[in-house]
Amino acid sequence: AQTVTQSQPEMSVQEAETVTLSCTYDTSENNYYLFWYKQPPSRQMILVIRQEAYKQQNATENRFSVNFQKAAKSFSLKISDSQLGDTAMYFCAFMNPINAGGTSYGKLTFGQGTILTVHP
Amino acid sequence: GAVVSQHPSWVICKSGTSVKIECRSLDFQATTMFWYRQFPKQSLMLMATSNEGSKATYEQGVEKDKFLINHASLTLSTLTVTSAHPEDSSFYICSARSTGESSYEQYFGPGTRLTVT
């Protein structure tokens, strides 16, 4: 079974600064997907960024970028120019490839989450 | 696009009664829907995976007779908490994956807060 570990229960950063959230995972699969989700106080889950394991290039979405180290099974999220609206709980998640003929239907395994607070 | 709704957004029920939560994909067809449970400041715990027209697959430790899941159409899945007890109080979230094996993205509903008194 896959496991996802986020070792930082809480982080804080000053507005406009950069912060990195850590995530490690364990799997025997070669092909998979990794995600970072944001859950603000409204509790609506919002996709921040995704990475396909077969792609060597790190994914980037505006101020959000990842450092994907496949051999080390590490997937950290960097938030640049932090904004007050970035305050949320962040979850790292792992997904096996979808295999409708087998038992994988795109199930997500989440890490424990990191509460990020951006201070003005 | 890709909006998932949940109804109700919050519900209070008395111990021993049953409550149904609906999850709808509003602008796409969802082959697979997932139900999660989340306690305050904790992670999402997958309860079950439901595929349209077939029985749900429950995660280990989840009582299938207590948490009834029905995925009757490609746009609707329901979770019924039967004989609810205070320990069932939690935040329940559904997500939906669109049709097509290559579609790996899940779209999340806004969640339902259940309080059992």
Side-chain angles (χ1 to χ4, degrees):
Chain A
Q2 287 75 26
T3 58
V4 179
T5 303
Q6 293 178 249
S7 58
Q8 305 154 313
E10 295 190 38
M11 294 278 286
S12 63
V13 65
Q14 291 295 126
E15 200 174 7
E17 293 189 347
T18 296
V19 63
T20 299
L21 308 184
S22 302
C23 173
T24 58
Y25 58 94
D26 188 24
T27 183
S28 58
E29 301 286 340
N30 189 46
N31 293 323
Y32 48 87
Y33 303 99
L34 294 164
F35 304 84
W36 277 98
Y37 285 92
K38 166 185 176 180
Q39 188 180 41
S42 67
R43 302 191 79 170
Q44 172 71 58
M45 294 288 284
I46 301 167
L47 175 65
V48 175
I49 200 165
R50 64 171 173 261
Q51 174 82 43
E52 291 90 342
Y54 64 87
K55 290 185 177 179
Q56 292 187 340
Q57 187 173 5
N58 289 323
T60 299
E61 287 288 341
N62 300 313
R63 297 183 295 108
F64 300 89
S65 62
V66 298
N67 183 2
F68 173 48
Q69 301 291 325
K70 191 172 183 179
K73 295 179 183 174
S74 170
F75 183 61
S76 61
L77 174 70
K78 185 172 83 171
I79 305 174
S80 304
D81 186 25
S82 298
Q83 300 176 0
L84 297 178
D86 295 334
T87 292
M89 193 160 188
Y90 286 81
F91 293 99
C92 177
F94 174 100
M95 180 193 288
N96 270 324
I98 293 163
N99 175 16
T103 58
S104 173
Y105 292 98
K107 188 166 69 171
L108 284 168
T109 301
F110 287 92
Q112 303 92 324
T114 298
I115 298 173
L116 175 67
T117 304
V118 181
H119 297 285
Chain B
V3 177
V4 175
S5 71
Q6 278 185 244
H7 178 79
S9 55
W10 59 272
V11 58
I12 301 173
C13 71
K14 292 188 175 180
S15 188
T17 62
S18 296
V19 62
K20 181 185 286 188
I21 301 170
E22 292 187 349
C23 176
R24 292 182 186 273
S25 56
L26 298 185
D27 50 3
F28 66 98
Q29 293 186 325
T31 306
T32 305
M33 288 185 171
F34 304 88
W35 286 95
Y36 299 87
R37 183 173 181 176
Q38 185 183 32
F39 292 106
K41 295 191 177 181
Q42 293 189 23
S43 189
L44 281 70
M45 258 183 28
L46 180 65
M47 300 174 66
T49 301
S50 76
N51 291 289
E52 186 265 339
S54 61
K55 289 185 179 179
T57 303
Y58 290 82
E59 295 298 303
Q60 192 171 7
V62 177
E63 300 175 60
K64 61 181 180 182
D65 293 332
K66 180 169 187 60
F67 298 100
L68 301 179
I69 291 171
N70 185 8
H71 194 155
S73 75
L74 284 172
T75 59
L76 173 65
S77 176
T78 59
L79 167 68
T80 301
V81 183
T82 62
S83 186
H85 290 285
E87 57 265 30
D88 298 324
S89 297
S90 189
F91 194 67
Y92 293 87
I93 303 174
C94 73
S95 70
R97 184 173 69 81
S98 63
T99 54
E101 290 189 26
S102 62
S103 176
Y104 51 77
E105 189 158 343
Q106 289 187 28
Y107 304 97
F108 286 83
T112 297
R113 184 181 305 278
L114 170 64
T115 302
V116 184
T117 60

